[in-house]
Amino acid sequence: MSANPLAAMPSATTDSLAVRRLQLTDFRNYATLRLSFEATSVVLTGPNGAGKTNLLEALSLLVPGRGLRRARIAALARQEAQPGLWAVAVGVRTPAGAVEVGVGRDPKGMEGGRDRRLLRINGRDSRSQAALGEVLHATWLTPEMDRLFLEGPSGRRRFLDRLAFGFEPAHATRLADYGRAMRERSRLLQEGPADPGWLDALEETMAESGVAIAETRRAYVRHLGKAVAEATGPFPGVALETEGLLEAGLATETPAAMLARYRSRLADLRRRDAEAGLATEGPHRSDLAVRHGTKGMPAADCSTGEQKALLIAILLADARLQRVARGTPPLLLLDEVTAHLDSARRQALFEAIETLGAQAWMTGTEAALFQSLKGRAQFFRVLDGAAVAEA
Ligand SMILES: Nc1ncnc2c1ncn2[C@@H]1O[C@H](COP(=O)(O)OP(=O)(O)O)[C@@H](O)[C@H]1O
Ligand SMILES: [Mg+2]
């Protein structure tokens, strides 16, 4: 249709992952929102508090995990809405064909006091987060991550694990299994004399899933490390390393030996962990060490702009690997991505996205920063929980 200004737009890869329809219901500051998209990238502009990040957050819930704000399920419901239910539904083009995915708050879970998400894939209820990971993949960059290298290891560990989901979908399930067993063990230890058989079983689960988690992290970082070592255009080369008890152990020991060693270590640590009220050693404490590849400098000592460039280099390299592994790059959710980027890097980023063939969702307060994407991306103006396509 000639009335459609997007009809002539290039779409770099004909079957790469692309959101074609989005519907939000009582989600954050959106009462209802229905939008359709071409397969090209999307630019969302609007003032602070308009709902740009909320929109990216909605998309981030379509992959395993808690989304880009790690929000509680209840916090996602529009404040004014009763009874606090929310839903996100998307139609996505994938290499395997069109897929409909819906995620929302489970009304039954609310009644029972066990808040959960309800997940539907092609109209059928799905229980597993991993199933979602098979269908969709997305990575994101948020302004909070500008501090990733300056803060403690938890943010970097989550960043690594989130990227590793795309590499190994079972990673999400293993992290959940590990976390559940770890919390249960901490609870038992704190409550006083615990059944040793029960503790043994929980520690067995922690050791099994923990070693698998560490193995995946090591394998993924080796894989990514090769792809990111060389500088690409204005983006620096990056040197990566996993740091952690199990990750280090696996450098010299077999997984079976590491599993046995960690299991007996956990048994030895029971008294200390009971006093601490938590598990003091394990893959939940690991870190990702990042260095500027060319300068050899730890990322924390690089400039803010360089840190952002390191993050983007990692994200783009991961997306290229995913494109090879899965036949399509992930959706890229890039919140306020132009902050701290000079214009050379900004243009290089736009070009890299296009070369990749990814549908990127980019936000910013000023449309001017995205000027060079005019005609190549779809622009929407976001205001007070509504989004309007711009010509
Ligand atoms: N559960 C909620 N119900 C209603 N409004 C919300 C909810 N959560 C956040 N908001 C509001 O959504 C608005 C838009 O947020 P956000 O998407 O972060 O804006 P921005 O466009 O700056 O990225 C904020 O003003 C915030 O107060
Ligand atoms: Mg925002």
Side-chain angles (χ1 to χ4, degrees), residues 28-29 47-54 69 75-80:
R28 295 281 194 192
N29 69 330
N48 297 141
K52 304 180 296 295
T53 303
N54 291 346
R69 281 198 178 99
L76 299 170
R78 191 167 62 92
Q79 252 160 22
E80 297 76 11

Side-chain angles (χ1 to χ4, degrees), residues 369-384:
L369 290 168
F370 302 94
Q371 192 61 38
S372 62
L373 287 173
K374 277 272 155 76
R376 297 188 287 158
Q378 312 157 76
F379 283 67
F380 289 85
R381 188 80 188 153
V382 183
L383 195 63
D384 291 338

Side-chain angles (χ1 to χ4, degrees), residues 2 53 134 174 218 234 247 249 251 259 266 286 291 366 383:
S2 57
T53 303
E134 313 262 332
R174 291 174 189 148
R218 278 172 53 82
E247 289 85 348
L259 195 154
L266 283 169
S286 301
R291 285 173 171 272
E366 309 306 325
L383 195 63

Side-chain angles (χ1 to χ4, degrees), residues 103-181:
V103 56
R105 191 174 185 186
D106 182 358
K108 290 203 197 90
M110 276 173 81
E111 286 160 20
R114 282 174 62 93
D115 234 346
R116 329 180 287 165
R117 299 195 311 185
L118 211 58
L119 175 65
R120 308 202 96 201
I121 303 176
N122 285 333
R124 296 175 59 173
D125 286 345
S126 171
R127 293 211 133 261
S128 111
Q129 293 250 328
L132 198 53
E134 313 262 332
V135 185
L136 293 183
H137 47 144
T139 48
W140 53 81
L141 206 54
T142 65
E144 289 71 34
M145 289 163 66
D146 292 346
R147 299 192 48 76
L148 195 75
F149 300 124
L150 306 176
E151 293 173 341
S154 63
R156 289 183 294 276
R157 187 172 58 245
R158 272 200 303 276
F159 177 63
L160 167 62
D161 285 331
R162 201 155 44 65
L163 293 177
F165 292 165
F167 177 72
E168 167 61 276
H171 194 59
T173 316
R174 291 174 189 148
L175 283 166
D177 291 346
Y178 179 86
R180 220 175 301 113

